[in-house]
Amino acid sequence: MTTRLGHSGMAMALLVTFLLVTGCAHQSPAPGAEMKIPDQTATIQGVQEDYDQAESQVESTEEALQELYVSPEADLQQAADSFRKNARMMLALGDPLVRHADGMHVQGPSYLVERKEVPPSCPVPGAAMLMAFRPAQLDGFEAIADLAWEVKRAYRAYQFDVQQVYAVLTQDVTPVKVTPAMVKGLELIVRKAGVDSENLKDAIEATEGAIDQATSAQAQAAPKNPPQAAAPGQGQPVSMARQ
């Protein structure tokens, strides 16, 4: 028993020494540590979720606007409250659309990142693959960036419509009593909003379609078996250079 414990203690001491010498003890992430998305980037999944939420809110906002326009006088206040609520949500969910378009054009392909398995920097036998953010490197990124810019332009048009209606229903951040005459005066902007909302949804769907196509092509071209970490003395250390 003493000999067995002595061998175990020696093995543990050798492992600790190895980790300290190679710096692995400082490089290994803590269990359960949350990965942070690098600054000035966005994940593909995050971009798609932002597009989905914005498109859904466009529909809700447009429904609220149409309901306001056709509501009888007795229901105008309730309809106005519903529109104000949806308008505020639309403006909040529209900000990421602008941010993604600007990010793709300013940062280029490095703006879009994805979680990827990478070998650990320390070649410990049996070490599990780590997760890290790496540039997505999507084929056809330029086309995606151009479509994202069209989303921004379409959103700016619809944003103007929503803000115009909101301004009529609000004075100094305070809701005002809505009258049939006020709603009647919104006819032109309501019509414009109907067109602009459809243009925005079309632009979002086109961009999402391009992203889906690019990620599907990338998945089909990816190697089936990712490289595994090498044990000490076997092969060369795996490069951790950005792809």
Side-chain angles (χ1 to χ4, degrees):
M1 179 65 70
T2 301
T3 302
R4 185 173 302 174
L5 290 175
H7 289 165
S8 298
M10 182 177 295
M12 181 60 70
L14 289 174
L15 177 59
V16 171
T17 301
F18 171 78
L19 293 175
L20 291 174
V21 170
T22 59
C24 295
H26 301 286
Q27 297 175 12
S28 300
E34 182 179 355
M35 290 187 300
K36 294 184 63 176
I37 302 174
D39 294 337
Q40 306 301 320
T41 66
T43 64
I44 295 176
Q45 181 181 1
V47 170
Q48 291 175 314
E49 289 176 353
D50 287 340
Y51 283 148
D52 287 339
Q53 292 178 356
E55 183 176 11
S56 177
Q57 187 56 47
V58 170
E59 295 178 352
S60 297
T61 304
E62 194 58 23
E63 288 176 3
L65 179 56
Q66 294 299 325
E67 183 66 23
L68 170 67
Y69 190 68
V70 300
S71 290
E73 184 174 2
D75 298 331
L76 277 181
Q77 299 307 317
Q78 182 177 352
D81 289 341
S82 176
F83 173 79
R84 293 188 193 98
K85 178 181 177 180
N86 279 281
R88 290 191 294 268
M89 185 67 71
M90 183 71 255
L91 297 178
L93 293 177
D95 287 343
L97 305 184
V98 176
R99 185 172 67 251
H100 294 323
D102 291 342
M104 290 184 200
H105 275 264
V106 173
Q107 303 296 329
S110 63
Y111 178 74
L112 292 178
V113 298
E114 61 181 345
R115 295 173 185 260
K116 288 186 177 181
E117 284 189 337
V118 295
S121 56
C122 304
V124 178
M129 299 290 283
L130 302 178
M131 297 299 294
F133 287 108
R134 292 289 184 269
Q137 296 183 326
L138 296 179
D139 289 337
F141 173 83
E142 292 77 8
I144 294 174
D146 288 342
L147 289 170
W149 196 259
E150 289 303 314
V151 170
K152 174 183 174 179
R153 293 180 59 181
Y155 169 68
R156 287 303 195 196
Y158 189 58
Q159 178 189 34
F160 174 82
D161 304 334
V162 172
Q163 289 175 331
Q164 288 292 104
V165 177
Y166 191 89
V168 171
L169 305 180
T170 310
Q171 185 175 8
D172 295 331
V173 196
T174 302
V176 300
K177 180 176 175 57
V178 182
T179 65
M182 292 170 60
V183 175
K184 182 64 176 177
L186 296 172
E187 181 177 0
L188 293 180
I189 196 68
V190 169
R191 290 182 180 179
K192 179 177 181 297
V195 174
D196 290 340
S197 66
E198 291 300 321
N199 290 339
L200 177 53
K201 288 189 292 184
D202 289 345
I204 290 175
E205 291 173 3
T207 308
E208 286 194 294
I211 293 175
D212 288 339
Q213 183 176 2
T215 54
S216 296
Q218 185 184 63
Q220 293 176 0
K224 301 301 181 181
N225 298 314
Q228 300 295 321
Q234 297 181 0
Q236 299 297 323
V238 180
S239 173
M240 293 297 291
R242 291 172 65 90
Q243 298 180 357

